[in-house]
Amino acid sequence: QVQLVESGGGLVQPGGSLRLSCVASGVTGNINRMSWFRQAPGKQREFLASITSAGSTNYADSVRGRFTSSRDNAKNTWYLQMNSLKPEDTAVFYCNAAIQRVGSIWAEDYWGKGTLVTVSL
């Protein structure tokens, strides 16, 4: 029943910026952690950033200082602000959520369908 939907992808020039959004619907419990991943053509899925409901963040070394994760708990929405984009950032970006239902002893993992980011002249 839980669905995650990404938006904000598109074409941007090197050095430019984009902000990605992810909205979760059908959530009946707590979103413990929200994350962003990407997958470039011919490469493995790569972790980029995560943020807890309390606002604690983690970043991959490749994007630290350029990307910033944030969230709006009231709207079950989280964001990835991407600055100083490089051609090698081109990939499909995916949002992820770890959700713990009320009364559950474990969290469940959910994925969006992805949004394409292309960095090119």
Side-chain angles (χ1 to χ4, degrees):
Q1 188 175 10
V2 174
Q3 292 186 345
L4 309 182
V5 180
E6 305 97 335
S7 62
L11 176 64
V12 64
Q13 296 181 3
S17 299
L18 284 175
R19 190 180 79 155
L20 305 182
S21 301
C22 185
V23 180
S25 61
V27 178
T28 59
N30 179 61
I31 303 178
N32 294 339
R33 177 175 286 104
M34 315 88 158
S35 302
W36 290 97
F37 293 75
R38 70 184 177 191
Q39 187 166 17
K43 296 186 177 180
Q44 298 294 319
R45 185 184 299 170
E46 177 188 13
F47 168 80
L48 299 176
S50 66
I51 184 168
T52 69
S53 59
S56 298
T57 57
N58 286 302
Y59 296 96
D61 290 340
S62 61
V63 303
R64 187 176 291 109
R66 298 191 297 128
F67 293 7
T68 303
S69 181
S70 61
R71 82 285 181 270
D72 185 337
N73 290 335
K75 297 180 179 180
N76 282 343
T77 302
W78 58 108
Y79 309 93
L80 186 67
Q81 178 66 48
M82 305 185 294
N83 299 325
S84 301
L85 284 163
K86 307 173 182 179
E88 51 263 42
D89 291 322
T90 297
V92 177
F93 285 68
Y94 298 91
C95 65
N96 168 269
I99 301 175
Q100 185 173 13
R101 298 181 181 182
V102 175
S104 177
I105 61 173
W106 65 85
E108 300 177 5
D109 205 43
Y110 297 90
W111 293 90
K113 295 182 179 180
T115 184
L116 177 63
V117 173
T118 302
V119 185
S120 180
L121 293 172

